Amino acid sequence: MPTALVTGATSGIGAAFARRLARDGYDLVLVARDAGRLQTATDELASTHGVRCEALPADLAETVPDGGCATVEQRLADGVDLLINNAGFTTHAPFDSGNREDEDRMLRVNIRAVVRLAHAALPSMLAAGSGGIINVSSVAGFFPTAGGATYAASKAYVTALSEGLAASYGDRGVAVTALCPGFTRTEFHQRAGIPTAGINDRLWLDADRLVDKGLADHRKKRPVSVPGWQYKALTEVGRLTPRPLMSAASRLVKARRGRH
Ligand code: NAP
């Protein structure tokens, strides 16, 4: 049985990955902070799909040498076939008056953990000449974003990192994909305290369908996956639009949505 490790597997997109991969017959290692919720998720998946499912509680923002990322790195060093770097979050506070530690935690989870876990997973994949890494990024990473600038910048990093790793290791049997969701119904916005009432219904994606499309693109060895016709169109328009115009559009969207 192949093994997949999924971070942020108790909710939203990570939970959808865990369900889909269990259905596909993967043994799973699931990572999140809430140990109780993690145990419930692993028990359910193991009993429903008959796969082996291990709970690995860890706070990926932690910097202690024997906890957080290090716990997950140790497990990855034993070898997995697929790594889903999914855990991530944003904040809602204005950049100038928000909590600096929150910004720093965001960078540790959204960037540092992604780099460290990919680094830990690669050696055994390269030795086997096969494996895959999906880094969950965001369409926000394609645009200059007024309000949520640190989050968007962190996702621009994740997409660029994934494209670089895909180019570096694709010919050695390891496929790397940045999965770039748009608005997806999960706990993400509620956790950050971001109001969603004004977001048009047509912009919302379903986490299970998003994951199906992301995995299909990954299996085709695509370095970047943008599910949903609306986001494909948006990113294509973004690619063709001069940057100053994009910044002006971003300011307008921010004013309408009231983000800082
Ligand atoms: P979610 O429903 O809030 O799930 C986040 C998951 O990450 C939870 O399982 C959470 O579990 C875990 N997590 C958070 N902080 C963690 C930490 N420090 N250490 C370990 N695990 C942590 O959010 P989601 O929407 O599924 O987000 C998944 C990914 O999609 C993120 O990278 C996000 O940036 C990206 N994304 C989401 C959207 C969207 O609209 N939803 C759009 C674009 C991109 P615990 O709280 O138990 O740790």
Side-chain angles (χ1 to χ4, degrees):
M1 288 262 203
T3 301
L5 186 145
V6 184
T7 69
T10 49
S11 164
I13 296 167
F17 263 112
R19 281 193 297 275
R20 165 65 200 268
L21 292 170
R23 225 169 41 239
D24 289 354
Y26 277 81
D27 287 335
L28 293 172
V29 184
L30 304 185
V31 178
R33 290 167 300 179
D34 183 334
R37 200 173 174 189
L38 201 53
Q39 196 57 54
T40 305
T42 52
D43 290 349
E44 262 175 35
L45 289 167
S47 68
T48 309
H49 300 282
V51 295
R52 284 199 311 181
C53 210
E54 180 186 334
L56 191 58
D59 181 348
L60 297 172
E62 262 184 29
T63 52
V64 291
D66 54 355
C69 268
T71 310
V72 186
E73 285 167 334
Q74 275 163 22
R75 177 61 190 83
L76 288 169
D78 294 340
V80 299
D81 301 280
L82 182 63
L83 165 64
I84 312 288
N85 262 322
N86 162 77
F89 70 98
T90 190
T91 58
H92 187 42
F95 184 82
D96 59 318
S97 58
N99 184 327
R100 204 174 303 156
E101 174 53 22
D102 287 346
E103 297 274 319
D104 193 27
R105 273 187 53 244
M106 192 187 345
L107 294 179
R108 295 203 297 270
V109 177
N110 292 11
I111 293 182
R112 176 179 173 272
V114 171
V115 173
R116 290 194 57 150
L117 301 191
H119 206 269
L122 262 172
S124 63
M125 291 181 183
L126 290 174
S130 71
I133 300 174
I134 298 179
N135 296 321
V136 180
S137 186
S138 171
V139 291
F142 293 120
F143 304 103
T145 304
T150 305
Y151 174 76
S154 76
K155 295 302 186 178
Y157 179 98
V158 170
T159 302
L161 174 78
S162 308
E163 288 181 287
L165 293 180
S168 304
Y169 299 113
D171 61 358
R172 294 173 65 186
V174 179
V176 182
T177 301
L179 171 60
C180 302
F183 291 121
T184 308
R185 294 198 192 279
T186 68
E187 295 175 12
F188 178 83
H189 297 91
Q190 182 198 335
R191 283 177 193 248
I194 298 173
T196 55
I199 300 171
N200 190 300
D201 255 1
R202 273 173 297 195
L203 289 177
W204 285 103
L205 300 174
D206 169 78
D208 290 301
R209 266 185 266 165
L210 172 88
V211 162
D212 288 347
K213 177 71 175 114
L215 276 168
D217 284 342
H218 179 68
R219 283 167 189 166
K220 289 177 191 151
K221 307 195 185 313
R222 295 202 169 133
V224 178
S225 169
V226 181
W229 60 267
Q230 59 283 64
Y231 292 107
K232 274 195 184 58
L234 194 67
T235 50
E236 197 50 31
V237 168
R239 203 175 58 78
L240 299 170
T241 307
R243 215 63 181 170
L245 254 183
M246 300 263 293
S247 296
S250 171
R251 282 197 296 276
L252 273 178
V253 171
K254 171 185 169 263
R256 280 193 57 196
R257 293 199 53 221
R259 280 209 74 181
H260 309 285

